[in-house]
């Protein structure tokens, strides 16, 4: 698939050439020939909430403030009534400090950690299902024409994935328009960056779709639901618990989106099938973009 040249419709688009995100290396191929390529950088980022160290995440290092805000919000350590005084990032120390006006109640969350199935060793704090009680997602209809349009645009957008691989992408969308495209070595980091951007910019979630290149796991479904986004779509597949939680909270869950094909395992009644799949350009088996594992 040919890459698109104009990404001006994005509010935030990937920047594959950004400083510090990749490093040139030299290797050899299957024939023993020298080969030059770029590989994605991976570096630690330690997140503090006021004076308390919370977690050290492995990340590519872009948008640290959004990552910190989104992580804390998605873990239930920041609530809607918490007033954020500032977010301070120190590039040399690789730390970001989120400061609030009043003390937060994060101590209980620190007592229990669950290692997730996400890449780059994701961690969630507290009981994974905490916070989903009472979550009611808006009953939003989803046009298949929008899904096809989003996939066609996102999969042709210049990105670190197309440049270097070994990375996940997550895109916040509205209708048929992709708005914010974040990438990271772990899909949970990419989602947290979007959550942090939404929190910082006070962006509503009810009319949004979240698109990801990664698997539709329980963690991905929980994060999406906690953000209030009613639709989650992916090029990749599902886990059983992810499907179960999506059905429980009323999340429209669509996976294996490649060319003309997709599978909906939650929210089928919300789909408006206004596009003829046979008229959608199918994706060759050996596509330039593959579903990330």
């Amino acid at each position: 698939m040919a890459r698109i040249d104009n990404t001006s419709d994005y509010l935030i688009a990937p920047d594959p050439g950004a400083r510090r995100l990749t490093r040139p290396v030299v290797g050899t191929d299957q024939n023993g020939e020298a080969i030059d390529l770029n590989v994605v950088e991976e570096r630690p980022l330690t997140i503090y909430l006021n004076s308390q160290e919370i977690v050290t995440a492995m990340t590519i290092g872009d948008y640290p403030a959004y990552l910190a805000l989104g992580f804390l919000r998605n873990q239930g350590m920041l609530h809607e009534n918490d007033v954020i005084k500032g977010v301070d990032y120190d590039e040399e120390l690789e730390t970001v400090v989120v400061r609030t006006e009043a003390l937060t109640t994060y101590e209980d969350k620190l007592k229990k950690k669950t290692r997730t199935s996400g890449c780059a060793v994701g961690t969630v704090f507290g009981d994974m299902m905490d916070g989903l009680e009472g979550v009611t997602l808006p009953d939003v209809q989803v046009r298949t024409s929008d899904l096809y349009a989003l996939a066609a645009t996102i999969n042709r957008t210049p990105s670190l994935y197309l440049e270097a691989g070994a990375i996940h992408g997550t895109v916040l969308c509205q209708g048929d328009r992709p708005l914010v495209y974040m990438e990271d070595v772990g899909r949970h980091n990419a989602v947290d960056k979007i959550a942090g951007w939404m929190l910082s910019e006070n962006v509503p979630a009810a009319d949004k779709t979240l698109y990801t290149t990664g698997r539709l796991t329980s963690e991905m479904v929980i994060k999406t639901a906690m953000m209030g986004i009613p639709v989650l779509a992916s090029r990749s597949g599902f886990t059983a618990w992810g499907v179960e939680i999506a059905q429980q909270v009323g999340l429209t869950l669509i996976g294996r989106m490649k060319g003309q094909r997709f599978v909906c395992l939650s929210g089928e009644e919300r789909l408006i099938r206004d596009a003829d799949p046979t008229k959608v350009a199918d994706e060759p088996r050996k596509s330039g973009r593959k579903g990330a594992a």
Side-chain angles (χ1 to χ4, degrees):
M1 292 183 291
R3 303 187 191 189
I4 61 176
D5 296 322
N6 186 357
T7 59
S8 61
D9 281 347
Y10 284 94
L11 299 178
I12 298 178
D15 184 5
R19 182 179 68 91
R20 300 176 75 239
L21 297 187
T22 61
R23 180 193 307 174
V25 298
V26 178
T28 54
D29 65 11
Q30 66 279 358
N31 299 315
E33 301 289 336
I35 182 172
D36 297 321
L37 71 159
N38 288 328
V39 296
V40 172
E41 287 279 15
E42 188 178 10
R43 49 176 44 90
L45 178 71
T46 301
I47 298 172
Y48 285 80
L49 180 55
N50 298 312
S51 60
Q52 174 66 52
E53 179 180 338
I54 302 298
V55 72
T56 296
M58 298 307 297
T59 175
I60 60 175
D62 66 344
Y63 302 106
Y66 291 153
L67 175 56
L69 284 171
F71 176 84
L72 295 172
R73 184 62 174 268
N74 280 339
Q75 302 306 326
M77 296 183 184
L78 283 179
H79 301 284
E80 291 186 5
N81 58 344
D82 286 325
V83 178
I84 298 170
K85 292 195 302 182
V87 182
D88 302 318
Y89 171 58
D90 189 311
E91 182 175 333
E92 183 176 351
L93 295 178
E94 295 182 313
T95 61
V96 59
V97 181
V98 176
R99 306 182 189 282
T100 58
E101 282 191 356
L103 293 179
T104 58
T105 56
Y106 50 70
E107 290 85 356
D108 289 341
K109 292 284 184 179
L110 293 174
K111 293 178 182 176
K112 185 175 181 181
K113 297 182 182 180
T114 302
R115 183 166 172 171
T116 74
S117 58
C119 301
V121 191
T123 301
V124 293
F125 291 81
D127 296 322
M128 288 185 67
M129 299 299 289
D130 278 359
L132 284 184
E133 297 177 6
V135 169
T136 302
L137 296 175
D139 190 12
V140 174
Q141 293 183 318
V142 183
R143 296 184 179 275
T144 58
S145 58
D146 289 344
L147 295 174
Y148 285 130
L150 288 173
T153 299
I154 292 167
N155 293 330
R156 293 183 298 120
T157 297
S159 62
L160 277 174
Y161 180 90
L162 295 178
E163 174 72 20
I167 201 164
H168 286 280
T170 301
V171 189
L172 182 69
C173 312
Q174 184 177 31
D176 63 355
R177 180 190 173 191
L179 302 175
V180 174
Y181 189 152
M182 296 292 190
E183 295 183 283
D184 214 300
V185 288
R187 57 184 172 271
H188 42 82
N189 287 348
V191 175
D192 286 341
K193 289 176 187 176
I194 287 179
W197 178 82
M198 294 177 70
L199 176 61
S200 178
E201 302 297 321
N202 197 28
V203 174
D207 60 344
K208 303 299 190 297
T209 294
L210 199 64
Y211 179 98
T212 178
T213 59
R215 299 183 302 272
L216 297 172
T217 63
S218 57
E219 181 192 18
M220 288 294 294
V221 170
I222 290 170
K223 283 180 180 284
T224 304
M226 292 292 288
M227 292 162 66
I229 297 174
V231 185
L232 176 60
S234 174
R235 291 178 54 80
S236 198
F238 313 81
T239 67
W241 196 16
V243 173
E244 181 180 335
I245 296 171
Q247 293 172 344
Q248 174 184 325
V249 299
L251 177 75
T252 299
L253 191 67
I254 298 166
R256 299 182 181 176
M257 284 191 61
K258 297 179 182 179
Q260 301 171 346
R261 297 159 287 157
F262 69 80
V263 177
C264 179
L265 290 185
S266 176
E268 160 68 26
E269 69 279 3
R270 302 183 196 96
L271 289 186
I272 299 177
R273 299 180 182 274
D274 62 338
D276 182 353
T278 64
K279 295 182 180 179
V280 176
D282 206 4
E283 193 171 304
R285 295 296 177 180
K286 293 184 179 181
S287 170
R289 175 184 279 280
K290 300 176 182 178

